Amino acid sequence: MVQRFLQVMFSLFSTYNLELTAAAVYVKVLPFLTMEEGHYSLPEATLFLGFDCSTQSLKASVLDANLVIVATEFVRFDIDLPHYKTEGGVYRDPLINGRIVSPPLMWVEALDVMLERLSKRLNLAKIVSISGSAQQHGSVYWKNGSFRILSSLNPDMRLVDQLGEAFSLNESPIWMDSSTTEQCRKIEEAVGGALELHCLTGSRAHERYVGPQVRKIYEKHREIYHNTERISLVSSFMGSLLIGAYACIDETDGAGMNLMDIKKRKWSNVALEATAPYLEQKLGKLAPAYAVSGYIAPYFANRFHFNKNCLIIQWSGDNPNSLAGLTLETGDLSISLGTSDTVFGITDEPQPCLESHVFPNPVDTKGFMVMLVYKNGSLTREDVRNRYADGSWEIFNKHLRQTPPLNDGKLGFYYKEHEILPPLPVGFHRYILKNFTGHSLDGVIEQEVDEFDAPSEVRALIEGQLLSMRAHVERLGMLLPPKRLVVTGGASSNECILAAVASIFGCDVHTVPRPDSAPLGAALRAAHGWMCYEKGSFVPLGMLYDGKLEKTSLCSKLSVNAGDPILAAKYALVMRKRIEIEDRLVRELGRL
């Protein structure tokens, strides 16, 4: 009955070109529906597809009904789509300091390539639902009239050949951009200050966030703003392609814009007015992360032979999807070591803190996801590897093994890019703690130096990144040591780095079989959204794997045992000194 009702509503919304084929209906109807009793097993022979449109690639993971990965695929932007001439998936503007963008048409073509590859490996008709993950904070600007193009795609042509003229802005600002410092300050002033904005929207004004980016476009390129009929996040942009209509922004990813009231899960009029006029109509509606965006567009059913009833579940950000794929619970903590490094967990009552980002829990109807973000992640580790380890991870790890924990008091701050946490400009800063014995900071004198020996540079980088994470997690008041610490991302396969995590955090370190937790989480969310749709109301995510987690691709494993507690206590002392130096650098050099 519920399913038939929603099918009728899908049809009505599609017929009258109303926004988002289904999510608006789904959100309003479900609270009045009663969940049927029964099991939560997924039908045999069904598949669930999850994408991840990250900075450098488009990835895919496919889960079967037992939540086991049966296929993965990826498209690397620099290598597989070289004609866009990106470096690391982005363009760095040589004229405007801090401006970093990506071409949205590249993401469109990546989807073309991805589906062509998957169609040769899988029977796509078995996929009953699709969801996705995308780099957070990136924004896409649809030109006036583009809905007609999106809703009438020709299956005989590639997407990229039909959407070339669909954008009012051909280069999308992404999470690495730091060119909107002025707009951040104006928005904070308009709402009553940084803390007021944080309490309202989940974050103080950040340069990469969509709010400041939109204000910059309105101020400097007003004709582009007025020629834009829809502003999408990268996540809702990719979802829009799949349903052939404008998909809603989901509530979790929407919290990373400085525009949404995180408690009400609605756009904030105060934040909207501080940003640009008529903005709400360009953003569209919000929807829960588990909601249905719509049926897959006829284009994909005809061109790639998807089942026409395949559901598209709301796309969300990469970090929220990672949280889902790691099956985190309250008290757990995850460190994601990727292009950016992030630390995140779940809490019922987030503490106000200007350093943190707060989002609605992506896998539940209550609670919040709290996150710290570092721009200088894998690319900075690779830069130090190239400078001091001859471009070799083997030599990099050798340096880590041959240098002692605590690095003989050598501390380093390495910022290849303008950093988010702390808000510091590009630059390397090195200090030696004289007279440090590991038992006290009494008598310790810090001496700034120009350079360390190569092995010490490597250890100073890794220890510095991890000490910063521990310090800022403590500032947030989150549980330390956590109940479970899960490390994911590309560097989670590096045993030397994992050993440093265990020593500095003083707890066991778990990892997952595949470091790409975002597309895995997206595939799990595809299954979860499908189950919620079938049951007619929200179903707790854990019901999908209750009692069988160890048999799925979601289970984590113990990789490194907890470090020496005495050593962890010594690291706590170094951490105090490091945060003291960091605070001083922010006062002297900080960008915000």
Side-chain angles (χ1 to χ4, degrees):
M1 185 71 179
V2 171
Q3 189 168 359
R4 176 57 186 159
F5 174 80
L6 288 175
Q7 287 173 341
V8 171
M9 295 306 294
F10 282 153
S11 177
L12 288 174
F13 269 61
S14 180
T15 299
Y16 292 101
N17 282 338
L18 295 179
E19 173 194 17
L20 185 69
T21 318
V25 177
Y26 191 75
V27 174
K28 293 177 181 176
V29 171
L30 287 189
F32 300 95
L33 302 177
T34 302
M35 181 170 65
E36 300 173 10
E37 297 295 330
H39 63 80
Y40 298 93
S41 297
L42 300 165
E44 289 298 323
T46 55
L47 299 176
F48 303 89
L49 172 58
F51 290 112
D52 175 37
C53 186
S54 67
T55 313
Q56 302 185 63
S57 65
L58 177 66
K59 307 181 190 73
S61 292
V62 182
L63 290 174
D64 66 12
N66 297 312
L67 302 181
V68 174
I69 293 177
V70 295
T72 60
E73 189 58 80
F74 56 88
V75 178
R76 297 161 295 184
F77 300 146
D78 292 359
I79 296 173
D80 296 318
L81 303 171
H83 44 285
Y84 290 97
K85 299 180 180 179
T86 57
E87 294 184 9
V90 306
Y91 299 139
R92 288 175 169 81
D93 195 318
L95 301 177
I96 302 176
N97 184 37
R99 181 175 180 267
I100 302 179
V101 297
S102 292
L105 203 60
M106 178 178 70
W107 301 327
V108 173
E109 187 169 0
L111 184 60
D112 277 325
V113 175
M114 173 64 77
L115 292 177
E116 287 167 4
R117 292 179 179 178
L118 286 175
S119 66
K120 295 174 182 177
R121 300 179 54 190
L122 295 169
N123 179 359
L124 299 184
K126 292 184 176 181
I127 295 173
V128 297
S129 64
I130 300 170
S131 190
S133 152
Q135 55 174 294
Q136 293 191 262
H137 317 302
S139 47
V140 179
Y141 299 79
W142 295 91
K143 184 188 298 183
N144 289 337
S146 291
F147 181 87
R148 290 191 298 273
I149 301 173
L150 183 61
S151 60
S152 57
L153 295 169
N154 182 349
D156 294 327
M157 300 172 62
R158 297 187 308 163
L159 289 172
V160 69
D161 297 326
Q162 301 181 69
L163 294 172
E165 301 299 320
F167 310 112
S168 56
L169 190 63
N170 290 323
E171 294 177 336
S172 290
I174 65 162
W175 68 271
M176 298 173 74
D177 187 281
S178 58
S179 66
T180 61
T181 307
E182 176 186 350
Q183 288 74 26
C184 287
R185 290 177 177 147
K186 289 179 179 177
I187 289 173
E188 288 182 348
E189 289 172 3
V191 302
L195 186 59
E196 185 68 23
L197 185 63
H198 179 281
C199 292
L200 177 65
T201 69
S203 301
R204 69 174 302 170
H206 284 280
E207 294 156 322
R208 67 195 187 279
Y209 273 36
V210 176
Q213 293 290 342
V214 168
R215 177 160 181 152
K216 176 184 170 184
I217 291 170
Y218 179 72
E219 288 178 349
K220 298 182 181 298
H221 305 284
R222 197 156 296 187
E223 73 286 354
I224 291 177
Y225 183 78
H226 289 307
N227 193 31
T228 299
E229 71 180 17
R230 178 53 51 99
I231 300 172
S232 296
L233 292 178
V234 181
S235 55
S236 61
F237 168 70
M238 298 298 288
S240 297
L241 297 178
L242 290 172
I243 66 171
Y246 291 142
C248 286
I249 292 172
D250 89 281
E251 295 167 350
T252 302
D253 213 10
M257 301 172 73
N258 285 141
L259 295 172
M260 190 189 88
D261 185 322
I262 58 168
K263 293 179 181 177
K264 296 180 180 179
R265 302 194 180 199
K266 296 180 179 179
W267 299 124
S268 163
N269 289 332
V270 173
L272 292 172
E273 290 170 4
T275 304
Y278 318 115
L279 181 53
E280 185 171 3
Q281 67 190 51
K282 295 180 186 292
L283 295 173
K285 303 294 184 181
L286 289 158
Y290 61 86
V292 176
S293 290
Y295 289 119
I296 197 165
Y299 172 89
F300 298 98
N302 293 325
R303 185 174 178 86
F304 297 105
H305 308 297
F306 282 95
N307 188 304
K308 65 180 182 180
N309 293 319
C310 176
L311 296 178
I312 308 302
I313 308 302
Q314 284 288 135
W315 282 51
S316 190
D318 49 1
N319 293 296
N321 276 279
S322 288
L323 185 146
L326 298 173
T327 65
L328 293 191
E329 299 177 352
T330 302
D332 293 342
L333 195 68
S334 177
I335 297 175
S336 176
L337 300 173
T339 305
S340 64
D341 288 344
T342 57
V343 186
F344 51 85
I346 297 174
T347 183
D348 294 328
E349 293 293 336
Q351 301 298 314
C353 178
L354 292 181
E355 300 167 347
S356 69
H357 310 278
V358 180
F359 309 99
N361 190 332
V363 293
D364 205 342
T365 56
K366 58 184 183 299
F368 298 90
M369 173 183 177
V370 181
M371 184 171 69
L372 302 171
V373 179
Y374 298 85
K375 186 185 291 189
N376 286 271
S378 65
L379 298 181
T380 300
R381 285 187 288 273
E382 290 169 7
D383 182 62
V384 170
R385 176 203 64 187
N386 295 339
R387 290 171 184 248
Y388 301 107
D390 297 330
S392 165
W393 286 118
E394 183 178 351
I395 297 175
F396 186 96
N397 290 339
K398 181 181 178 182
H399 287 343
L400 279 176
R401 286 191 293 268
Q402 74 181 52
T403 47
L406 303 170
N407 207 21
D408 291 325
K410 299 184 182 77
L411 294 177
F413 299 75
Y414 298 83
Y415 306 127
K416 183 177 182 291
E417 306 281 353
H418 291 322
E419 184 51 84
I420 296 166
L421 181 62
L424 287 171
V426 172
F428 289 7
H429 311 276
R430 302 173 179 85
Y431 301 86
I432 297 177
L433 301 184
K434 299 280 190 178
N435 306 324
F436 179 66
T437 63
H439 303 291
S440 169
L441 292 178
D442 293 342
V444 171
I445 301 171
E446 63 189 67
Q447 177 186 351
E448 188 167 6
V449 298
D450 292 331
E451 198 168 26
F452 301 140
D453 59 278
S456 295
E457 293 279 7
V458 169
R459 180 164 284 277
L461 167 71
I462 297 302
E463 288 191 344
Q465 290 180 326
L466 297 174
L467 284 168
S468 179
M469 292 176 188
R470 177 177 166 179
H472 289 287
V473 166
E474 285 194 4
R475 281 187 173 181
L476 287 179
M478 298 184 73
L479 182 65
L480 278 180
K483 293 180 181 178
R484 182 175 61 124
L485 177 59
V486 185
V487 181
T488 185
S492 66
S493 60
N494 187 314
E495 294 182 1
C496 293
I497 293 178
L498 294 180
V501 175
S503 295
I504 290 172
F505 280 82
C507 63
D508 294 341
V509 174
H510 295 77
T511 58
V512 289
R514 295 189 60 85
D516 296 328
S517 54
L520 173 61
L524 176 63
R525 288 184 49 256
H528 179 235
W530 182 90
M531 182 63 74
C532 292
Y533 172 78
E534 285 295 306
K535 293 296 182 181
S537 68
F538 177 80
V539 174
L541 180 67
M543 300 300 291
L544 270 66
Y545 49 79
D546 185 42
K548 58 182 181 181
L549 183 62
E550 299 300 319
K551 297 179 181 179
T552 72
S553 294
L554 305 170
C555 67
S556 63
K557 66 174 183 177
L558 176 63
S559 292
V560 181
N561 289 315
D564 178 1
I566 296 177
L567 179 59
K570 292 180 178 179
Y571 271 120
L573 286 174
V574 176
M575 178 188 71
R576 283 171 49 195
K577 192 63 179 178
R578 178 186 171 85
I579 210 71
E580 177 185 313
I581 297 171
E582 178 185 295
D583 289 343
R584 186 175 70 241
L585 288 172
V586 171
R587 288 194 299 272
E588 296 173 355
L589 306 171
R591 295 179 296 104
L592 292 177

